[in-house]
Amino acid sequence: QVHLVESGGGSVQAGGSLRLSCAASGSIFSLNFVGWYRQAPGKQRELVASITSGGTTTYAYAVKGRFTISADNAKKTGYLQMNSLKSEETAVYYCNVDVQQRLGGPQDNYWGQGTQVTVSS
């Protein structure tokens, strides 16, 4: 079984920064994909950024140039550095990972519990 723990959320003023972390624990051979999503009240969950084990990144247009996603496979942890935050980015942020628990084994997908990010104007 794999367990994800998110941290780093909180309250910040517009223009400020936060760094989210998503630590995976359990029987993990490889962290193959890390995605960060967010869901604001009354809105659908949306992809913010993602990174593959090969280092390929994708970003939502709204966050390009301000957010940076990274991952440390040795630590089994993904990160999302968020700069120049805007009030409309207030949401619960979730991490989503693809994990291989053994060499050659299948990939399993897991969601974190979510962390609240509140940006005040």
Side-chain angles (χ1 to χ4, degrees):
Q1 186 67 7
V2 172
H3 186 54
L4 299 180
V5 176
E6 298 180 32
S7 60
S11 296
V12 65
Q13 287 195 328
S17 298
L18 286 173
R19 189 191 194 208
L20 305 183
S21 297
C22 174
S25 62
S27 177
I28 301 170
F29 172 74
S30 177
L31 198 61
N32 291 346
F33 169 89
V34 177
W36 286 95
Y37 293 74
R38 64 188 178 192
Q39 187 166 20
K43 295 189 176 181
Q44 288 190 329
R45 191 172 297 189
E46 62 176 356
L47 178 65
V48 176
S50 67
I51 186 168
T52 68
S53 56
T56 300
T57 57
T58 61
Y59 294 94
Y61 179 80
V63 307
K64 279 184 179 179
R66 298 185 297 117
F67 289 15
T68 303
I69 189 170
S70 60
D72 185 332
N73 217 324
K75 294 183 178 179
K76 304 298 186 281
T77 301
Y79 305 95
L80 184 67
Q81 176 67 44
M82 306 185 294
N83 299 328
S84 303
L85 281 160
K86 304 176 182 180
S87 58
E88 57 263 36
E89 294 177 314
T90 293
V92 178
Y93 285 69
Y94 298 89
C95 69
N96 178 253
V97 302
D98 282 340
V99 168
Q100 247 182 326
Q101 293 188 265
R102 56 181 174 84
L103 178 63
Q107 276 193 152
D108 297 310
N109 186 264
Y110 295 90
W111 285 92
Q113 81 283 1
T115 185
Q116 177 70 46
V117 170
T118 302
V119 185
S120 57
S121 56

